[in-house]
Amino acid sequence: MALGRLSRKALLGLGGNGGRLGIGLGLVRGFETVTLPDLPYDYGALEPAISAEIMLLHHQKHHQAYVSNYNKALEQLQDAISKGDVSSVVKLQSAIKFNGGGHINHSVFWKNLAPVQEGGGEPPKRSLGWAIDTQFGSLESIVVKMNTEGAALQGSGWVWLALDKEGTKLSIETTANQDPLVTKGATLVPLLGIDVWEHAYYLQYKNVKPDYLKNIWKVVNWKYASEVFEKESP
Ligand SMILES: [Fe+2]
């Protein structure tokens, strides 16, 4: 899908509509559409922890749907703004949150995983390893806590290892549906997000979500989480 920019001029040139909407023109900016990112590994590279079939469907169908629906919602938003259609602008917020969140979350999720031969499952070292030991006691403690929270999550959602970049504090958070971590706090940065929607495991693990949560740690890319931690720590 080509990267496209929805017309900023079309938005900014509608001063009258902007006025009726009560939106300051300084807040109205151009929107860029998003694209499906490539996976940094082959679909079968995470086996046996996660099957190639799941990875292919998860990436090409589920993530692609969030991308397509987010872009569609942006186009509808542009149209609604240009018409001064406040009801439609408000109505579109849920689609933007859900599909934009789905795109954000999955874009992080792919980078949170790595094939075993490329370091998947290797424990974090350096500063993130020390922060985990200091704040949680051990890596095993985080695994147990995140698996417990993930297993207990009702419906669909995500479990996160978060960094509060204001105080270098780690925490475990959950979000419902496709809510991104930022909905839990503006200063929270996702180090590791685990997708606990059924589409992430059902074809392989059926109803046994705890087995999925147990095995995913074998392909967690702690190197990526460490890089984010070091970059975002004050
Ligand atoms: Fe997913």
Side-chain angles (χ1 to χ4, degrees):
M1 185 181 296
L3 184 69
R5 175 178 278 276
L6 300 182
S7 170
R8 184 169 192 266
K9 188 177 177 184
L11 295 172
L12 295 179
L14 297 165
N17 288 331
R20 287 206 300 277
L21 284 168
I23 297 173
L25 289 182
L27 297 175
V28 182
R29 301 167 60 187
F31 297 106
E32 286 197 356
T33 53
V34 297
T35 57
L36 183 69
D38 290 334
L39 285 192
Y41 36 74
D42 293 337
Y43 289 119
L46 303 181
E47 289 188 339
I50 306 177
S51 73
E53 183 183 24
I54 285 179
M55 291 302 293
L56 187 146
L57 289 170
H58 202 170
H59 181 247
Q60 288 193 7
K61 301 299 181 186
H62 292 278
H63 191 169
Q64 180 63 62
Y66 299 124
V67 165
S68 301
N69 290 330
Y70 175 73
N71 290 336
K72 184 175 159 195
L74 288 189
E75 288 173 11
Q76 292 172 335
L77 179 66
Q78 181 194 35
D79 186 52
I81 290 173
S82 72
K83 293 175 180 169
D85 181 353
V86 181
S87 295
S88 292
V89 169
V90 172
K91 190 177 165 193
L92 283 163
Q93 302 310 305
S94 62
I96 290 170
K97 182 182 182 186
F98 182 78
N99 293 294
H103 175 56
I104 291 169
N105 294 343
H106 288 85
S107 296
V108 173
F109 183 60
W110 309 134
K111 291 187 279 194
N112 280 148
L113 304 174
V116 170
Q117 59 270 31
E118 293 174 21
E122 283 184 15
K125 298 170 184 150
R126 304 194 306 273
S127 53
L128 178 57
W130 302 328
I132 287 172
D133 287 345
T134 302
Q135 296 180 41
F136 288 88
S138 67
L139 179 62
E140 180 60 24
S141 175
I142 276 191
V143 170
V144 169
K145 281 181 168 43
M146 288 184 71
N147 283 2
T148 301
E149 298 249 355
L153 194 65
Q154 294 182 338
S156 300
W158 292 75
V159 57
W160 305 93
L161 174 61
L163 166 68
D164 187 334
K165 59 184 181 181
E166 278 199 336
T168 325
K169 184 173 180 299
L170 299 174
S171 64
I172 293 169
E173 310 283 345
T174 58
T175 55
N177 303 312
Q178 290 297 355
D179 291 357
L181 182 60
V182 72
T183 60
K184 284 292 188 83
T187 58
L188 295 180
V189 175
L191 302 181
L192 169 63
I194 296 180
D195 188 342
V196 285
W197 280 59
E198 282 192 347
H199 69 222
Y201 63 88
Y202 199 87
L203 282 174
Q204 183 176 356
Y205 292 96
K206 304 296 186 287
N207 59 316
V208 192
K209 184 162 67 169
D211 280 358
Y212 160 69
L213 290 169
K214 183 176 81 176
N215 285 336
I216 198 169
W217 296 99
K218 296 171 183 170
V219 289
V220 163
N221 186 353
W222 283 109
K223 186 164 177 281
Y224 170 78
S226 296
E227 287 168 1
V228 176
F229 179 79
E230 286 169 16
K231 182 175 165 221
E232 298 288 351
S233 295

